[in-house]
Amino acid sequence: LNERLTGVFDRITGRGALSEKDVSEAMREVRVALLEADVALPVVKDFIAFATEKATGEEVIRSVRPADQVIKIVYDGLVEMLGGEEPTPLNLNATPPAVLLMAGLQGSGKTTTSAKLALRLTKFDRKKVMMASLDTRRPAAMEQLAQLGKQIEVAVLPIVAGESAVQITRRALTSAKLQGFDVLILDTAGRITLDEGLMNEVAEVAAIATPVETILVADSLTGQDAVRTAKAFHERLPLTGLILTRADGDGRGGAMLSMRAVTGLPIKYMGSGEKVDALEVFDARRVAGRILGQGDIVALVEKAATELDQSKAEAMAKKLAKGQFDLNDLAAQLQQMKKMGGLQGIMGMLPGVAKMKAQMAEQNIDDRMILRQEAIISSMTKAERKKPDLLNASRKKRVASGAGVEVQDINRLLKQHRQMADMVKSLSKGGRGNLQKMAAM
Ligand code: GDP
Ligand code: MG
């Protein structure tokens, strides 16, 4: 995608905003990339609309290629659509046993994933876990779970021939409660395709077991089919999350995005192999990178982000180098400070300003102060902001009444500005490195 976008943007240089035309051309390429990654068409459409809105009018930063900038916007959008950087943890908030119900088509990986989850909960969370197979039609499936349980040393409800799924569920609940298990994982039967019988059975089990998590296990390699499956299951079952298996073979990630978008459900884990420990917490960033077909997309995006910051810092540094630090610059800095954890935090990071920080604490400068100062600066005329010396007594009175503050507040602001301007000067004597450090802050 990067190469494609580079082509689109080669001719845009210099400053300005990303125009609607540029963005729509870029989005055509993004669209192709998403379709190639096997993202469902309606999801592609929604995403393009969303990303177009974000990108249009975005200011072009000189030192960043517009292509990289758009990739960053698209990448951030994908991460957001995939559920954000922070994975949604498994919910175990229930009177024990917390029941996890695993649903899905046959062969999607339910039994394997049940064991993977059991292992994870036992090993990392020190939970006492029991598994039970509700797959009454295939004795081999029950045996499979029993074997896996033996392998990972997790309890499995003993098999009783001739019971129905509902009967097994009741027995499992009683047994897990009596024996003090924290978690009960119910591995349900699957069909090759969706059918009413299957849905009714799972729904009935869900009604009896009242699971804290009803997880759809889906094979990410089945692409669009998996999306249809997810939709159908979600209509019948109160699903709480997804686990997508065979992520190890899915180089495109499109099904993951589609399923998340269509169901709105968090993807909790990804299966990454046949072994019992091949279960990973879902990582939206990695999947977004796959979708964009860019192995090192994260590095690229980080580079773009740093360059964006750097170019802003450089612009500021240039002004400062000329000894220019007027009240407009102060207002810009105040904005930035608000973003970065307030005045005290910023001041604490600057080298050699401990004294000033103490002074400010003395003068009661806090973050409400930032708001007040912004109000003061915005009540000044352009000329006053550029040349604070213009502010005589009557002008100060006017500004004070405009900002709803006292004249002494104006004086305090001007004093602070003078201090900062002095600091700028002394830092500029200390060399460009210092200056950039300061500007970056
Ligand atoms: P079920 O019918 O839904 O219970 O599916 P199974 O758990 O029996 O899994 C079917 C097959 O898929 C087995 O051979 C598993 O080893 C394999 N499998 C399950 N999860 C994964 C995965 O994440 N990656 C790979 N490569 N294979 C998997
Ligand atoms: Mg199974």
Side-chain angles (χ1 to χ4, degrees):
L1 181 69
N2 190 15
E3 274 156 32
R4 287 202 188 118
L5 289 181
T6 309
V8 172
F9 284 114
D10 262 352
R11 57 203 163 62
I12 309 176
T13 45
R15 278 209 244 182
L18 293 174
S19 77
E20 231 166 278
K21 189 167 157 285
D22 300 327
V23 171
S24 88
E25 241 171 86
M27 288 306 153
R28 249 200 305 277
E29 300 297 339
V30 173
R31 189 186 148 93
V32 173
L34 294 181
L35 289 172
E36 276 177 2
D38 202 24
V39 180
L41 188 59
V43 178
V44 173
K45 280 186 181 156
D46 283 355
F47 181 78
I48 295 291
F50 169 77
T52 302
E53 201 187 306
K54 287 216 154 172
T56 308
E58 184 88 351
E59 202 163 316
V60 176
I61 312 286
R62 228 180 230 183
S63 59
V64 180
R65 295 183 317 154
D68 287 351
Q69 214 177 327
V70 170
I71 284 192
K72 176 158 169 41
I73 292 166
V74 170
Y75 171 84
D76 287 346
L78 285 176
V79 170
E80 198 179 320
M81 213 163 171
L82 283 163
E85 289 186 8
E86 285 300 314
T88 316
L90 204 62
N91 176 14
L92 295 176
N93 284 324
T95 320
V99 178
L100 313 181
L101 182 65
M102 314 294 279
L105 293 181
Q106 186 175 313
S108 61
K110 290 180 302 300
T111 304
T112 317
T113 306
S114 297
K116 287 176 176 178
L117 262 185
L119 179 63
R120 190 176 246 288
L121 290 170
T122 312
K123 209 162 80 178
F124 297 142
D125 303 302
R126 308 237 158 259
K127 296 287 182 195
K128 216 180 145 196
V129 182
M130 177 188 257
M131 303 191 286
S133 172
L134 309 184
D135 199 342
T136 51
R137 287 163 198 82
R138 295 188 310 143
M142 295 189 140
E143 194 48 44
Q144 183 194 356
L145 190 72
Q147 286 299 329
L148 285 166
K150 217 175 268 172
Q151 190 191 332
I152 59 173
E153 297 177 331
V154 165
V156 177
L157 186 77
I159 299 169
V160 173
E163 276 183 332
S164 71
V166 168
Q167 282 169 325
I168 300 173
T169 304
R170 292 217 164 91
R171 187 160 57 90
L173 286 168
T174 315
S175 176
K177 200 172 287 171
L178 286 177
Q179 295 178 61
F181 282 95
D182 302 312
V183 180
L184 171 64
I185 300 179
L186 296 176
D187 175 26
T188 63
R191 296 283 192 286
I192 311 278
T193 53
L194 291 163
D195 74 51
E196 260 324 279
L198 167 75
M199 286 300 183
N200 288 337
E201 185 180 290
V202 184
E204 201 179 343
V205 166
I208 292 166
T210 56
V212 266
E213 291 270 14
T214 304
I215 293 170
L216 180 71
V217 179
D219 179 351
S220 59
L221 292 183
T222 57
Q224 307 296 322
D225 277 343
V227 178
R228 262 192 298 282
T229 306
K231 219 172 151 182
F233 269 93
H234 198 34
E235 277 160 13
R236 290 295 305 273
L237 275 180
L239 294 176
T240 55
L242 305 170
I243 294 181
L244 299 177
T245 60
R246 297 203 180 83
D248 46 317
D250 174 26
R252 301 184 293 177
M256 301 206 186
L257 180 70
S258 305
M259 258 183 279
R260 158 80 210 197
V262 166
T263 61
L265 292 166
I267 303 170
K268 305 220 166 183
Y269 295 95
M270 296 188 285
S272 55
E274 296 198 40
K275 296 220 178 82
V276 283
D277 59 357
L279 186 72
E280 295 171 33
V281 171
F282 179 70
D283 184 350
R285 282 170 296 196
R286 227 171 63 207
V287 175
R290 276 188 202 175
I291 292 172
L292 292 180
Q294 197 87 34
D296 54 353
I297 189 88
V298 175
L300 182 83
V301 165
E302 270 162 15
K303 188 169 142 266
T306 334
E307 280 176 12
L308 287 175
D309 285 348
Q310 219 167 45
S311 92
K312 277 183 203 156
E314 271 167 20
M316 180 59 90
K318 258 182 217 151
K319 281 194 90 168
L320 297 183
K322 287 184 215 155
Q324 288 174 351
F325 187 77
D326 61 21
L327 288 167
N328 286 312
D329 300 319
L330 179 58
Q333 290 301 77
L334 291 174
Q335 271 291 329
Q336 196 65 19
M337 284 176 188
K338 269 200 301 196
K339 263 202 278 181
M340 298 183 63
L343 203 50
Q344 298 294 335
I346 304 290
M347 284 323 212
M349 286 190 276
L350 285 171
V353 287
K355 194 170 132 243
M356 191 168 152
K357 203 181 160 192
Q359 275 175 2
M360 288 170 64
E362 227 168 73
Q363 291 166 20
N364 248 334
I365 297 179
D366 60 14
D367 290 338
R368 260 167 315 161
M369 185 91 179
I370 294 182
L371 294 177
R372 216 173 324 144
Q373 292 183 329
E374 280 184 331
I376 294 173
I377 295 175
S378 64
S379 300
M380 294 176 183
T381 66
K382 262 189 201 162
E384 288 163 352
R385 276 180 239 169
K386 274 213 146 42
K387 243 182 122 197
D389 287 346
L390 287 175
L391 287 157
N392 57 21
S394 75
R395 282 177 186 249
K396 279 180 193 169
K397 231 187 245 165
R398 194 206 73 238
V399 173
S401 79
V405 299
E406 305 294 325
V407 169
Q408 62 186 31
D409 293 318
I410 314 271
N411 288 333
R412 208 178 294 153
L413 173 95
L414 291 175
K415 184 175 165 203
Q416 194 198 334
H417 168 246
R418 260 197 313 280
Q419 283 174 332
M420 288 185 96
D422 286 349
M423 186 164 73
V424 165
K425 252 178 231 154
S426 74
L427 282 174
S428 77
K429 279 178 202 139
R432 210 174 139 71
N434 263 345
L435 202 57
Q436 271 183 344
K437 222 183 273 168
M438 144 119 198
M441 291 189 172

